[in-house]
Amino acid sequence: MPLQKISEFDPDYPNTLEGNDIKGMGVYVQGTDEKIGTVNDAVVDDQGAFRYLIVDIGFWIFGKKILLPVGKSRIDSTANRVYVVGITREQAENLPEYQEHTTLDYDYEEQVRGGYRTPSVESSATLGSTSGRTTPSPDSNSYTYADDADLYDVSAHEDQTLKLYQERLVASKQRRKSGEVSISKHVETETARVAVPVEKERVVIERVTSQDTGKVVSAEATDFREGEVAHIDLYEEVPDIQKEAFLREEVRVQKVVDKETVEAQETIRREELDVDADGTRIENKTDRG
Protein backbone atom coordinates (compact mmCIF):
# COMPACT_ATOMS: atom_id res chain seq x y z
CA MET A 1 0.00 0.00 0.00
CA PRO A 2 2.36 2.75 -1.17
CA LEU A 3 1.64 6.16 0.27
CA GLN A 4 2.49 9.53 -1.19
CA LYS A 5 1.72 13.17 -0.70
CA ILE A 6 -1.35 14.41 -2.52
CA SER A 7 0.73 16.75 -4.70
CA GLU A 8 2.81 13.78 -5.86
CA PHE A 9 -0.29 11.74 -6.66
CA ASP A 10 -2.01 14.62 -8.48
CA PRO A 11 0.12 17.73 -9.19
CA ASP A 12 -3.06 19.54 -10.26
CA TYR A 13 -5.02 18.51 -7.17
CA PRO A 14 -6.26 22.07 -6.28
CA ASN A 15 -8.23 22.10 -9.55
CA THR A 16 -9.35 18.52 -8.94
CA LEU A 17 -10.68 19.66 -5.58
CA GLU A 18 -12.39 22.58 -7.32
CA GLY A 19 -10.13 25.10 -5.59
CA ASN A 20 -10.47 23.64 -2.07
CA ASP A 21 -7.01 23.10 -0.66
CA ILE A 22 -6.79 21.37 2.69
CA LYS A 23 -3.26 22.65 3.20
CA GLY A 24 -3.15 25.53 5.64
CA MET A 25 -6.40 24.69 7.40
CA GLY A 26 -6.37 25.24 11.14
CA VAL A 27 -6.59 22.15 13.36
CA TYR A 28 -8.81 22.35 16.46
CA VAL A 29 -9.89 20.06 19.26
CA GLN A 30 -13.34 18.65 18.57
CA GLY A 31 -16.09 20.70 20.21
CA THR A 32 -13.81 23.59 21.20
CA ASP A 33 -12.04 26.59 19.76
CA GLU A 34 -8.67 25.31 21.01
CA LYS A 35 -6.30 25.41 18.08
CA ILE A 36 -3.51 22.84 18.20
CA GLY A 37 -1.85 23.33 14.81
CA THR A 38 -2.12 23.56 11.05
CA VAL A 39 -2.52 21.05 8.24
CA ASN A 40 0.82 20.90 6.45
CA ASP A 41 -0.05 18.32 3.81
CA ALA A 42 -2.17 15.26 3.04
CA VAL A 43 -1.17 11.65 2.35
CA VAL A 44 -3.11 9.39 -0.02
CA ASP A 45 -2.78 5.76 -1.04
CA ASP A 46 -2.28 4.43 -4.55
CA GLN A 47 -6.02 4.77 -5.23
CA GLY A 48 -6.09 8.43 -4.21
CA ALA A 49 -7.95 7.80 -0.95
CA PHE A 50 -7.01 10.09 1.95
CA ARG A 51 -5.23 8.20 4.72
CA TYR A 52 -3.46 10.85 6.81
CA LEU A 53 -3.18 14.56 7.34
CA ILE A 54 0.29 15.85 8.12
CA VAL A 55 -0.35 18.22 11.02
CA ASP A 56 2.09 20.69 12.54
CA ILE A 57 0.99 20.67 16.20
CA GLY A 58 3.07 23.70 17.08
CA PHE A 59 0.36 25.06 19.41
CA TRP A 60 0.78 21.94 21.56
CA ILE A 61 4.36 20.88 20.90
CA PHE A 62 6.55 23.39 19.12
CA GLY A 63 8.28 22.12 15.97
CA LYS A 64 6.61 18.71 15.90
CA LYS A 65 4.64 17.22 13.02
CA ILE A 66 2.49 14.10 13.26
CA LEU A 67 0.35 11.97 11.01
CA LEU A 68 -3.36 12.28 11.80
CA PRO A 69 -5.47 9.42 10.38
CA VAL A 70 -8.44 10.79 8.47
CA GLY A 71 -10.82 8.85 10.71
CA LYS A 72 -9.64 10.99 13.60
CA SER A 73 -10.53 14.18 11.78
CA ARG A 74 -13.65 16.05 10.78
CA ILE A 75 -13.20 18.53 7.97
CA ASP A 76 -15.31 21.66 8.00
CA SER A 77 -14.56 23.28 4.65
CA THR A 78 -17.02 26.09 5.34
CA ALA A 79 -15.12 27.21 8.43
CA ASN A 80 -11.78 26.22 6.89
CA ARG A 81 -11.09 24.04 9.92
CA VAL A 82 -10.16 20.48 10.72
CA TYR A 83 -11.36 19.09 14.05
CA VAL A 84 -9.48 16.22 15.70
CA VAL A 85 -11.61 13.53 17.30
CA GLY A 86 -10.50 11.80 20.52
CA ILE A 87 -6.83 12.85 20.65
CA THR A 88 -5.13 14.49 23.61
CA ARG A 89 -1.88 16.31 24.16
CA GLU A 90 -0.52 13.22 25.92
CA GLN A 91 -1.20 11.07 22.87
CA ALA A 92 0.36 13.70 20.62
CA GLU A 93 3.52 13.70 22.73
CA ASN A 94 3.82 9.91 22.37
CA LEU A 95 3.19 9.81 18.64
CA PRO A 96 6.23 9.35 16.37
CA GLU A 97 7.42 12.58 14.82
CA TYR A 98 6.99 13.02 11.08
CA GLN A 99 9.88 14.51 9.10
CA GLU A 100 10.29 15.17 5.39
CA HIS A 101 12.64 12.22 4.97
CA THR A 102 10.39 9.83 6.90
CA THR A 103 9.64 6.65 4.95
CA LEU A 104 5.91 5.98 5.04
CA ASP A 105 6.16 2.21 5.19
CA TYR A 106 4.15 -0.37 7.15
CA ASP A 107 6.46 -0.26 10.18
CA TYR A 108 6.17 3.51 10.53
CA GLU A 109 2.41 3.34 10.07
CA GLU A 110 2.21 0.73 12.83
CA GLN A 111 4.03 3.12 15.17
CA VAL A 112 1.48 5.80 14.29
CA ARG A 113 -1.48 3.46 14.68
CA GLY A 114 -0.10 2.24 17.99
CA GLY A 115 -0.23 5.77 19.34
CA TYR A 116 -3.90 6.05 18.49
CA ARG A 117 -4.83 2.51 19.54
CA THR A 118 -3.71 3.22 23.13
CA PRO A 119 -6.04 5.92 24.48
CA SER A 120 -5.09 8.10 27.41
CA VAL A 121 -7.09 8.32 30.63
CA GLU A 122 -8.39 11.71 29.55
CA SER A 123 -9.60 10.47 26.18
CA SER A 124 -11.24 7.42 27.78
CA ALA A 125 -13.09 9.62 30.21
CA THR A 126 -14.11 11.95 27.43
CA LEU A 127 -15.22 9.32 24.94
CA GLY A 128 -16.46 6.77 27.45
CA SER A 129 -14.78 3.98 25.47
CA THR A 130 -11.46 2.97 23.99
CA SER A 131 -10.63 3.47 20.35
CA GLY A 132 -7.84 0.91 20.27
CA ARG A 133 -8.28 -2.74 19.71
CA THR A 134 -6.98 -5.47 22.00
CA THR A 135 -6.25 -8.07 19.35
CA PRO A 136 -2.80 -8.15 17.78
CA SER A 137 -2.46 -6.28 14.51
CA PRO A 138 -2.00 -8.31 11.34
CA ASP A 139 1.27 -8.41 9.46
CA SER A 140 2.14 -6.19 6.50
CA ASN A 141 0.96 -8.75 3.95
CA SER A 142 -2.54 -9.21 5.35
CA TYR A 143 -3.20 -5.75 6.78
CA THR A 144 -5.88 -3.53 5.26
CA TYR A 145 -7.06 -0.13 6.41
CA ALA A 146 -10.44 -1.71 7.13
CA ASP A 147 -8.75 -3.43 10.11
CA ASP A 148 -8.61 0.02 11.73
CA ALA A 149 -11.91 1.43 10.59
CA ASP A 150 -11.99 3.87 13.49
CA LEU A 151 -8.77 5.41 12.20
CA TYR A 152 -9.56 5.56 8.48
CA ASP A 153 -13.35 5.35 8.04
CA VAL A 154 -14.58 8.92 7.59
CA SER A 155 -18.20 7.76 7.56
CA ALA A 156 -17.99 7.17 11.31
CA HIS A 157 -18.38 10.92 11.90
CA GLU A 158 -21.45 12.96 11.22
CA ASP A 159 -21.56 16.07 9.10
CA GLN A 160 -18.58 14.87 7.04
CA THR A 161 -17.96 16.17 3.56
CA LEU A 162 -16.90 13.42 1.18
CA LYS A 163 -15.01 14.31 -1.95
CA LEU A 164 -15.16 12.01 -4.95
CA TYR A 165 -12.20 12.22 -7.29
CA GLN A 166 -11.89 11.65 -10.96
CA GLU A 167 -8.88 11.59 -13.21
CA ARG A 168 -8.77 13.56 -16.42
CA LEU A 169 -6.29 13.87 -19.21
CA VAL A 170 -4.27 17.06 -19.28
CA ALA A 171 -2.65 17.69 -22.64
CA SER A 172 0.50 19.74 -22.82
CA LYS A 173 3.36 20.07 -25.23
CA GLN A 174 7.09 19.79 -24.76
CA ARG A 175 9.62 21.03 -27.25
CA ARG A 176 12.37 18.54 -27.95
CA LYS A 177 15.12 18.24 -30.52
CA SER A 178 14.13 15.85 -33.29
CA GLY A 179 17.21 16.21 -35.49
CA GLU A 180 19.70 18.61 -36.95
CA VAL A 181 20.86 19.70 -40.38
CA SER A 182 24.43 20.81 -41.04
CA ILE A 183 25.06 22.77 -44.22
CA SER A 184 28.58 23.21 -45.57
CA LYS A 185 30.35 23.87 -48.87
CA HIS A 186 32.93 21.89 -50.80
CA VAL A 187 34.91 22.65 -53.97
CA GLU A 188 34.64 20.54 -57.09
CA THR A 189 37.20 20.83 -59.89
CA GLU A 190 36.85 20.22 -63.59
CA THR A 191 38.92 20.84 -66.66
CA ALA A 192 37.66 23.72 -68.79
CA ARG A 193 38.73 24.38 -72.36
CA VAL A 194 38.72 27.70 -74.20
CA ALA A 195 39.67 28.47 -77.82
CA VAL A 196 41.72 31.63 -78.37
CA PRO A 197 42.56 32.70 -81.99
CA VAL A 198 46.18 33.96 -82.25
CA GLU A 199 48.27 35.44 -85.04
CA LYS A 200 51.87 34.67 -85.93
CA GLU A 201 54.09 36.57 -88.38
CA ARG A 202 56.37 34.79 -90.89
CA VAL A 203 58.63 35.83 -93.73
CA VAL A 204 57.77 34.87 -97.24
CA ILE A 205 60.57 35.21 -99.78
CA GLU A 206 59.21 35.36 -103.26
CA ARG A 207 61.45 35.15 -106.28
CA VAL A 208 59.98 36.71 -109.42
CA THR A 209 61.23 37.31 -112.94
CA SER A 210 61.85 40.98 -113.58
CA GLN A 211 61.20 42.65 -116.89
CA ASP A 212 64.84 43.73 -116.87
CA THR A 213 66.10 40.19 -116.49
CA GLY A 214 69.08 39.70 -118.81
CA LYS A 215 69.56 43.40 -119.35
CA VAL A 216 73.12 44.64 -118.99
CA VAL A 217 73.71 47.17 -116.25
CA SER A 218 76.61 49.51 -115.77
CA ALA A 219 79.43 48.84 -113.39
CA GLU A 220 78.36 51.79 -111.23
CA ALA A 221 74.90 50.29 -110.69
CA THR A 222 76.31 47.02 -109.60
CA ASP A 223 76.67 46.72 -105.81
CA PHE A 224 78.25 43.45 -104.91
CA ARG A 225 78.56 43.08 -101.14
CA GLU A 226 78.29 40.51 -98.43
CA GLY A 227 76.56 40.53 -95.05
CA GLU A 228 73.10 41.49 -93.88
CA VAL A 229 71.11 43.39 -96.39
CA ALA A 230 67.68 43.41 -94.53
CA HIS A 231 66.30 42.89 -90.96
CA ILE A 232 62.69 42.02 -90.21
CA ASP A 233 61.20 41.50 -86.73
CA LEU A 234 58.59 38.73 -86.57
CA TYR A 235 55.78 38.76 -83.94
CA GLU A 236 53.26 36.26 -82.82
CA GLU A 237 50.31 36.20 -80.32
CA VAL A 238 50.27 33.79 -77.40
CA PRO A 239 47.15 33.01 -75.28
CA ASP A 240 46.97 34.72 -71.87
CA ILE A 241 44.60 32.56 -69.72
CA GLN A 242 43.47 33.84 -66.29
CA LYS A 243 40.72 32.76 -63.90
CA GLU A 244 38.06 35.00 -62.35
CA ALA A 245 35.30 34.17 -59.82
CA PHE A 246 31.67 35.07 -60.39
CA LEU A 247 28.38 34.50 -58.53
CA ARG A 248 26.75 31.36 -59.87
CA GLU A 249 23.58 31.14 -57.68
CA GLU A 250 22.12 31.95 -54.26
CA VAL A 251 20.91 29.26 -51.84
CA ARG A 252 18.47 30.29 -49.12
CA VAL A 253 18.18 28.13 -45.98
CA GLN A 254 15.20 28.56 -43.64
CA LYS A 255 13.02 26.55 -41.24
CA VAL A 256 9.30 26.01 -41.70
CA VAL A 257 6.86 24.56 -39.15
CA ASP A 258 4.53 21.75 -40.18
CA LYS A 259 1.46 21.37 -37.97
CA GLU A 260 -0.30 18.13 -37.23
CA THR A 261 -2.64 16.76 -34.56
CA VAL A 262 -1.43 13.81 -32.51
CA GLU A 263 -4.02 11.74 -30.68
CA ALA A 264 -3.27 9.92 -27.43
CA GLN A 265 -5.40 7.84 -25.13
CA GLU A 266 -5.08 6.80 -21.49
CA THR A 267 -7.25 5.07 -18.92
CA ILE A 268 -8.64 7.45 -16.32
CA ARG A 269 -10.40 6.64 -13.06
CA ARG A 270 -13.46 8.08 -11.34
CA GLU A 271 -14.82 7.56 -7.88
CA GLU A 272 -18.51 6.78 -7.42
CA LEU A 273 -20.49 6.37 -4.20
CA ASP A 274 -21.80 2.94 -3.24
CA VAL A 275 -24.71 3.49 -0.85
CA ASP A 276 -26.00 0.52 1.15
CA ALA A 277 -29.25 1.86 2.63
CA ASP A 278 -30.43 -1.54 3.87
CA GLY A 279 -33.97 -0.74 2.83
CA THR A 280 -33.93 2.74 4.32
CA ARG A 281 -35.35 5.46 2.11
CA ILE A 282 -32.78 8.07 1.24
CA GLU A 283 -32.94 11.29 -0.73
CA ASN A 284 -30.32 12.27 -3.27
CA LYS A 285 -29.80 15.95 -3.87
CA THR A 286 -27.50 17.70 -6.29
CA ASP A 287 -26.71 21.31 -7.06
CA ARG A 288 -25.70 20.48 -10.60
CA GLY A 289 -28.13 21.46 -13.33
Side-chain angles (χ1 to χ4, degrees):
M1 293 177 290
L3 298 177
Q4 53 189 321
K5 292 182 178 180
I6 188 173
S7 58
E8 298 171 351
F9 177 81
D10 181 8
D12 195 36
Y13 77 93
N15 289 330
T16 305
L17 297 177
E18 298 180 353
N20 297 321
D21 193 350
I22 195 172
K23 295 183 183 179
M25 283 189 176
V27 180
Y28 294 79
V29 176
Q30 171 76 358
T32 71
D33 284 331
E34 180 186 359
K35 185 175 182 179
I36 68 172
T38 307
V39 177
N40 184 261
D41 213 324
V43 176
V44 299
D45 61 15
D46 57 349
Q47 298 299 317
F50 280 94
R51 293 306 177 190
Y52 299 97
L53 301 180
I54 301 176
V55 178
D56 184 343
I57 55 173
F59 284 80
W60 268 0
I61 306 171
F62 180 76
K64 184 175 183 179
K65 296 179 183 178
I66 63 170
L67 290 187
L68 177 67
V70 293
K72 289 293 184 181
S73 68
R74 185 175 67 83
I75 301 173
D76 187 343
S77 58
T78 303
N80 200 36
R81 287 185 175 188
V82 174
Y83 292 101
V84 294
V85 181
I87 178 175
T88 65
R89 184 193 298 265
E90 180 184 353
Q91 281 181 301
E93 291 175 348
N94 295 327
L95 286 171
E97 182 176 2
Y98 172 82
Q99 297 178 344
E100 291 301 320
H101 62 273
T102 298
T103 301
L104 300 178
D105 55 13
Y106 174 80
D107 293 335
Y108 179 76
E109 284 192 271
E110 272 298 290
Q111 296 179 42
V112 174
R113 287 189 283 263
Y116 292 100
R117 288 172 185 154
T118 306
S120 65
V121 175
E122 180 183 349
S123 63
S124 297
T126 302
L127 301 177
S129 63
T130 61
S131 61
R133 63 174 173 219
T134 58
T135 57
S137 61
D139 57 31
S140 59
N141 294 324
S142 61
Y143 179 82
T144 64
Y145 289 111
D147 294 329
D148 285 293
D150 57 317
L151 298 182
Y152 302 105
D153 186 3
V154 296
S155 64
H157 308 297
E158 297 180 357
D159 197 21
Q160 187 82 318
T161 300
L162 300 179
K163 298 183 183 298
L164 302 181
Y165 294 94
Q166 177 178 342
E167 293 178 329
R168 62 185 176 188
L169 297 182
V170 179
S172 61
K173 296 186 293 184
Q174 293 182 341
R175 186 178 178 87
R176 67 179 183 181
K177 181 178 179 181
S178 61
E180 62 181 31
V181 176
S182 177
I183 300 176
S184 58
K185 297 192 300 184
H186 71 279
V187 177
E188 294 184 353
T189 61
E190 64 180 41
T191 301
R193 298 180 180 277
V194 61
V196 181
V198 297
E199 295 181 352
K200 294 183 179 181
E201 295 179 344
R202 57 191 176 89
V203 175
V204 178
I205 299 176
E206 182 180 3
R207 299 175 183 270
V208 298
T209 300
S210 174
Q211 295 178 354
D212 295 331
T213 299
K215 184 178 179 179
V216 178
V217 297
S218 63
E220 290 80 5
T222 303
D223 184 12
F224 292 96
R225 59 179 180 176
E226 296 181 354
E228 181 179 317
V229 295
H231 181 85
I232 300 174
D233 292 328
L234 300 178
Y235 294 89
E236 66 176 4
E237 295 177 335
V238 295
D240 182 10
I241 307 300
Q242 297 181 356
K243 294 186 292 184
E244 61 181 5
F246 65 97
L247 180 62
R248 181 166 61 93
E249 65 178 337
E250 288 185 353
V251 178
R252 295 180 180 177
V253 179
Q254 61 181 348
K255 295 194 300 182
V256 296
V257 178
D258 295 328
K259 295 184 178 181
E260 62 180 17
T261 300
V262 179
E263 293 186 356
Q265 64 180 24
E266 185 58 72
T267 301
I268 59 177
R269 298 171 294 179
R270 181 178 62 190
E271 294 180 343
E272 293 288 353
L273 281 182
D274 295 324
V275 181
D276 185 2
D278 193 20
T280 303
R281 182 179 179 181
I282 62 173
E283 180 180 357
N284 289 317
K285 294 183 178 181
T286 178
D287 61 355
R288 292 178 295 180

